[in-house]
Amino acid sequence: MLFEVWAPRAQRVTLQLSGRPVEMARDPGEDRRGWWRAEAPAEPGDRYGYALDDGEVLPDPRARRLPDGPERPGAVTDPERFGWRRPWPGRGLDGAVLYELHVGTFTHEGTFDAAAGRLGHLAALGVTHVELMPVSPFPGRHGWGYDGVAPWAVHEPYGGPEGLARFVDAAHEHGLGVVLDVVHNHLGPSGNRLPEFGPYFTDRHHTPWGAAVNLDAPGSDEVRAYFIGSALAFLRDYRLDGLRLDAVHELADDRAEHMLAELSRAVDSLAEDTGRPLFLIAESDRNDPRTTAPRAANGLGLHGQWNDDFHHALHAALTGEAQGYYADFARAPLAALAATVTRGFFHDGGYSAFRGRRHGRPLDPGTTPAHRLVGYAQTHDQIGNRALGDRLTTLAGRERTALAAALVLCGPFTPMLFMGEEWGAEEPWQYFTDHQDPALAEAVRSGRRREFAAHGWAADDIPDPQDPATRDRSCLRWPEDPERAWYGARPERPEEAERLEWHRRLIAIRREHLPPGLRLAEVRAAFDEAAGWLVVHSGPLAVALNFSAEAAVTAGLGPGAFELLAATHRCAPPGPGGRLGLPPESAAVLVRGDWAREPGDGVPGSG
């Protein structure tokens, strides 16, 4: 077996394989400067690591398995030995319904295998893709996953590489694709040994986590290859459908070709080689059209991005919250929602009071497919970064969360649910850690309490991230019988079954009536801020919402013949002139029978 490692500053590198040393030699290749290699017999499961200049044995930066934790030697693996039970043609982003899932709290067991046992629920719901939060190793057992330190490996307490492969295989048997959240903008504060191998980080740029990942300084060719290789390995070896890229605005890169463009080019090439559609979804704070613009048009070529503007406008409309970044949206939340669904971004070059400056640039509605933007009412960030981790059901009530579901699932953007949202789960999802370094654990605990004390919270009210009870409170509570068709809802709580059925119906309506390739130019909105109603037309689908808690309203649908498909409350079919009566806090979904694309309209490529 060939062992290779990049260690450009080392004078001597020794492979430690199953307790025996093997001297490594410099790779003579002109394009392999700094690489060391050695041939040695090995079998899957054999422990190995590298000693640089006779120092301690370090884990391989490209280790696929770290059975004893991220600071201990890795284990030899062979991804090709996994026995996949069925072929997988892949599922693209257009037409997708995403479901964000944290392996460690989706079930109390917190493993891939336990999570796989619940996938039948998601398939019956109508979800198309499971979006896993990060699974790279981090010290300890429990955490969100954004403190990972080994981007090529899989967290062993979840089940390691084979556990992930089993989960993906089970998802495919249910017809579900899998998307993985990956973190390329930083590594965790504990257990990161990459700087001992080479210039993986640079002081040329700084991020909220310290020195930036080296994407443009000397040695950055290999650093970029390291992260791109990791992304391709997960897509190829685990048969994933896509990756969600965490906080790409923190990827500092001054080179002529941004690392994200290089990554998207490599992923598109892999998709062509495998014959499967593959996609990249960015989390970006920039509201920059270049994020998803084609590389040929000097864009980064990513296939989609999370749309926080949509979340913020919807959250402000549902809860009335106006603190922090909600302030820009809370002044006129229905106007903000209407602007966001029709233009893609609310902040598209105008002034942001929260930032104290103008922010964003406009998308081109005529060429931008609506599915490139991911819309959601809840995510791990928007729940877990609150002081108490309270969900939207707790903040806004069940009636109003039904309105959110209608707009998310039958609106123009690719919808995403956060685990448990589909039945209105009320248990919080809080910030929890399992740092093994006592000083780091105390710093995180006191830092979080200090952060929220500035907003008026008492320190004792803030959950201790290190307390195991914080993670336990965040686990979904499932019924005991896993064979029930709708086993997300507990039989003793009929309101959960009702909310689950509402989500199922909305997803079915979306699948039947929303045309592929819908462009932002084919989305219209009408609203009355004072009365509290909003209507969003996504091609032939119309979502009518009454946010007023007290008054019934008459919403204007506009011209055309509409058929009522679903509603939260009993309401009459639309009257003459396209007027629809809506009770307080209600939603209705309709389809326009005479809708058709304008002659000559094409469906733009969706990537």
Side-chain angles (χ1 to χ4, degrees):
M1 178 177 288
L2 176 63
F3 291 84
E4 298 180 296
V5 66
W6 184 59
R9 295 191 290 246
Q11 300 302 309
R12 181 186 184 198
V13 180
T14 305
L15 165 68
Q16 291 286 341
L17 177 61
S18 297
R20 67 183 189 276
V22 179
E23 287 297 317
M24 303 188 76
R26 294 182 187 272
D27 194 308
E30 183 66 23
D31 60 346
R32 301 277 292 171
R33 294 176 182 177
W35 281 89
W36 299 74
R37 57 188 293 161
E39 294 267 4
E43 295 292 333
D46 289 351
R47 301 295 200 270
Y48 77 103
Y50 300 111
L52 310 181
D53 296 326
D54 299 319
E56 65 174 305
V57 179
L58 303 174
D60 179 6
R62 285 174 168 77
R64 307 301 295 274
R65 184 182 175 212
L66 295 166
D68 304 311
E71 295 188 79
R72 303 291 297 165
V76 173
T77 59
D78 183 0
E80 294 184 2
R81 293 180 60 163
F82 183 77
W84 296 94
R85 291 175 291 184
R86 59 161 292 168
W88 179 245
R91 297 193 75 159
L93 185 59
D94 193 4
V97 177
L98 308 176
Y99 187 94
E100 190 183 24
L101 180 160
H102 178 260
V103 174
T105 51
F106 188 59
T107 66
H108 189 77
E109 297 90 336
T111 65
F112 290 120
D113 289 342
R118 302 290 183 179
L119 290 174
H121 161 74
L122 302 184
L125 179 64
V127 164
T128 65
H129 295 75
V130 178
E131 183 173 308
L132 296 177
M133 288 175 61
V135 300
S136 291
F138 53 87
R141 177 175 179 82
H142 297 299
W144 280 19
Y146 295 94
D147 284 336
V149 294
W152 286 67
V154 179
H155 195 47
E156 197 70 17
Y158 289 168
E162 290 199 0
L164 175 58
R166 288 194 300 271
F167 177 88
V168 175
D169 204 26
H172 292 169
E173 288 196 315
H174 288 286
L176 298 169
V178 181
V179 181
L180 178 63
D181 194 338
V182 296
V183 183
H184 294 163
N185 52 55
H186 76 290
L187 270 70
S190 177
N192 176 16
R193 310 306 294 268
L194 285 186
E196 297 172 65
F197 283 91
Y200 282 90
F201 297 86
T202 176
D203 288 327
R204 288 184 56 181
H205 308 285
H206 290 272
T207 73
W209 308 282
V213 172
N214 177 17
L215 301 178
D216 57 8
S220 59
D221 286 354
E222 291 293 351
V223 177
R224 293 160 74 108
Y226 174 78
F227 286 102
I228 291 172
S230 166
L232 297 178
F234 272 106
L235 289 168
R236 180 186 61 246
D237 296 340
Y238 295 100
R239 300 188 179 185
L240 301 180
D241 296 88
L243 301 175
R244 182 261 190 187
L245 309 175
D246 182 63
V248 299
H249 50 272
E250 298 295 351
L251 293 171
D253 183 1
D254 290 336
R255 290 173 60 159
E257 182 181 40
H258 196 282
M259 182 261 200
L260 290 174
E262 188 178 347
L263 173 61
S264 72
R265 178 161 42 83
V267 170
D268 287 348
S269 178
L270 180 63
E272 186 174 347
D273 291 344
T274 60
R276 292 188 290 120
L278 302 173
F279 54 85
L280 298 170
I281 301 173
E283 179 197 23
S284 175
D285 186 49
R286 289 202 176 103
N287 283 20
D288 187 347
R290 289 174 295 187
T291 302
T292 56
R295 293 185 302 279
N298 293 319
L300 299 178
L302 303 184
H303 310 92
Q305 77 166 82
W306 278 24
N307 191 351
D308 270 352
D309 281 10
F310 174 77
H311 169 271
H312 298 345
L314 180 57
H315 187 92
L318 292 168
T319 67
E321 291 189 347
Q323 73 276 17
Y325 45 62
Y326 294 127
D328 287 330
F329 302 85
R331 294 183 182 87
L334 300 190
L337 264 175
T340 305
V341 296
T342 55
R343 304 199 311 250
F345 297 144
F346 174 71
H347 290 303
D348 59 2
Y351 185 78
S352 165
F354 171 68
R355 294 173 175 85
R357 59 172 175 80
R358 290 179 295 176
H359 183 64
R361 290 175 56 217
L363 291 158
D364 180 352
T367 61
T368 302
H371 78 263
R372 290 196 186 278
L373 296 171
V374 178
Y376 38 82
Q378 302 182 67
T379 71
H380 74 274
D381 270 332
Q382 303 301 340
I383 301 172
N385 284 329
R386 300 180 66 89
L388 302 181
D390 25 26
R391 290 173 177 260
L392 192 58
T393 305
T394 303
L395 296 171
R398 287 189 173 272
E399 295 291 335
R400 297 178 81 77
T401 56
L403 276 65
L407 189 54
V408 168
L409 294 172
C410 291
F413 305 141
T414 293
M416 185 177 75
L417 303 173
F418 182 71
M419 60 181 194
E421 180 180 351
E422 68 274 23
W423 69 78
E426 296 177 346
E427 51 267 36
W429 200 76
Q430 298 177 334
Y431 181 67
F432 53 89
T433 57
D434 188 20
H435 294 304
Q436 303 299 290
D437 179 348
L440 177 59
E442 178 54 35
V444 170
R445 179 187 297 114
S446 59
R448 190 163 177 86
R449 289 176 171 171
R450 186 167 54 250
E451 173 189 356
F452 286 105
H455 299 284
W457 293 88
D460 290 344
D461 292 337
I462 306 303
D464 179 0
Q466 287 286 120
D467 185 348
T470 303
R471 177 262 172 184
D472 291 344
R473 280 192 298 272
S474 302
C475 292
L476 284 181
R477 293 192 292 272
W478 295 85
E480 293 300 320
D481 180 8
E483 298 302 323
R484 294 177 58 242
W486 294 107
Y487 56 78
R490 288 164 285 191
E492 69 274 14
R493 304 195 67 178
E495 68 274 14
E496 292 186 345
E498 179 183 340
R499 186 51 36 83
L500 197 56
E501 175 62 15
W502 176 241
H503 281 75
R504 186 196 66 79
R505 289 175 65 198
L506 293 173
I507 293 173
I509 288 170
R510 179 185 189 86
R511 184 171 57 243
E512 182 176 354
H513 296 287
L514 196 70
L518 187 79
R519 296 166 299 144
L520 288 178
E522 298 171 281
V523 182
R524 297 184 294 109
F527 65 95
D528 186 323
E529 196 81 54
W533 63 262
L534 169 75
V535 176
V536 175
H537 297 267
S538 303
L541 272 185
V543 178
L545 306 173
N546 179 9
F547 289 90
S548 173
E550 301 172 353
V553 299
T554 301
L557 299 175
F562 292 89
E563 176 188 354
L564 182 64
L565 300 177
T568 54
H569 296 70
R570 185 181 299 276
C571 58
R579 310 296 288 178
L580 177 69
L582 291 171
E585 293 186 327
S586 66
V589 181
L590 308 96
V591 64
R592 180 178 166 184
D594 59 349
W595 180 86
R597 283 195 165 101
E598 292 295 324
D601 274 359
V603 178
S606 58

